[in-house]
């Protein structure tokens, strides 16, 4: 399809009367980016899903567009007013409570990693993971599973492996080269990136 055909399809079927072939060319070249409505119309004109035209969604708005869910549906599912939800989208900051966050994850079908990022729970996850690897992971698996909305059975192997990695770093003494840097520094670096270590242990999350 030439840019003119795409622009015509968007105008004729999706009410985007302002779209010209120049708009489509600019999007192709990456000099401009379509807004939410234009992206949805573009996907319709190309007979595909908005998510197929996007990179990995990062913001609340991008996740909603990628899933093809209306703002009204998200507001209704989470128990928010439409204005309140749209304000969160505009600010790029989700501020719902735990119940509303759980509903958001359901309606947008967010994978665990995206759910944690969107709902700003990474700090809490890091705290739980740090406690799990530095003490007994079995004592924290329930809270971690609840936070990321996963089955505890799927977390057993990752948490066990992470604890072994961390303990190996902390119990090692000096480097083989005879240096004087204690391995505790390696352990601290591990904890600083513990959320990334966690996702890398989960298939399909990295």
């Amino acid at each position: 399809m030439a840019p003119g055909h795409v622009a015509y399809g968007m105008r004729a079927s999706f009410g985007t009367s302002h779209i010209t072939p120049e708009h489509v060319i600019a999007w192709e070249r990456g000099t401009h980016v379509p807004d939410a409505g234009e992206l949805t119309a573009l996907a319709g004109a190309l007979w595909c899903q908005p998510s197929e035209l996007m990179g990995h969604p990062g913001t609340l708005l991008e996740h909603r567009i990628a899933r093809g869910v209306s703002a009204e549906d998200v507001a209704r599912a989470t128990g928010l007013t439409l204005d309140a939800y749209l304000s969160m989208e505009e600010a790029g900051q989700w501020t719902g409570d735990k119940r509303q966050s759980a509903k958001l994850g359901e309606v947008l079908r967010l994978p665990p990693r995206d759910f944690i990022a969107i709902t700003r729970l990474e700090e809490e996850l890091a705290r739980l993971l740090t406690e799990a690897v530095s003490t007994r992971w079995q004592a924290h698996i329930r809270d971690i599973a609840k936070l990321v909305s996963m089955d505890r059975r799927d977390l057993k192997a990752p948490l066990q492996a992470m604890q072994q990695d961390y303990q190996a770093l902390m119990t090692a003494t000096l480097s083989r080269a005879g240096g004087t840097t204690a391995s505790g520094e390696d352990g601290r670096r591990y904890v600083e990136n513990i959320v990334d270590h966690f996702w890398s242990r989960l298939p399909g999350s990295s």
Side-chain angles (χ1 to χ4, degrees):
M1 297 174 69
H5 295 140
V6 177
Y8 175 79
M10 292 176 67
R11 293 196 304 268
S13 301
F14 301 96
T16 50
S17 58
H18 65 287
I19 295 299
T20 65
E22 286 68 32
H23 284 90
V24 180
I25 292 171
W27 297 336
E28 289 179 345
R29 291 176 176 172
T31 57
H32 290 81
V33 178
D35 63 25
E38 291 167 347
L39 180 63
T40 301
L42 177 62
L46 295 176
W47 294 86
C48 67
Q49 295 297 318
S51 58
E52 296 178 64
L53 302 178
M54 302 168 64
H56 187 82
T59 67
L60 189 57
L61 172 62
E62 290 171 354
H63 278 287
R64 181 175 64 77
I65 293 173
R67 295 292 185 265
V69 180
S70 70
E72 290 82 0
D73 286 342
V74 177
R76 188 180 306 112
T78 56
L80 294 166
T81 65
L82 180 58
D83 286 344
Y85 173 72
L86 288 175
S87 293
M88 294 181 193
E89 266 197 5
E90 185 175 350
Q93 187 173 22
W94 171 256
T95 56
D97 59 27
K98 287 186 177 181
R99 183 192 64 80
Q100 292 167 330
S101 294
K103 292 296 184 181
L104 179 75
E106 292 175 7
V107 70
L108 294 183
R109 304 188 299 281
L110 295 174
R113 186 169 193 169
D114 292 327
F115 174 76
I116 291 296
I118 286 293
T119 55
R120 302 193 306 159
L121 291 172
E122 288 186 329
E123 186 175 333
E124 174 67 6
L125 178 59
R127 182 187 67 80
L128 288 172
L129 290 172
T130 300
E131 293 177 0
V133 300
S134 59
T135 57
R136 293 180 64 254
W137 62 264
Q138 296 91 335
H140 301 282
I141 190 169
R142 179 178 180 180
D143 289 339
I144 294 171
K146 184 176 181 181
L147 190 68
V148 300
S149 300
M150 291 182 63
D151 192 303
R152 278 181 279 181
R153 291 172 293 185
D154 295 330
L155 296 178
K156 180 178 178 180
L159 291 180
Q160 187 174 25
M162 287 176 65
Q163 185 186 54
Q164 291 171 350
D165 290 345
Y166 177 75
Q167 295 296 337
L169 291 172
M170 295 302 291
T171 56
T173 52
L174 302 178
S175 67
R176 290 186 178 179
T180 58
T181 302
S183 62
E185 182 62 30
D186 293 330
R188 284 189 288 274
R189 282 197 294 267
Y190 187 89
V191 167
E192 287 175 1
N193 298 294
I194 197 164
V195 173
D196 288 335
H197 289 303
F198 175 67
W199 296 128
S200 70
R201 291 282 183 179
L202 298 180
S205 295
S206 58

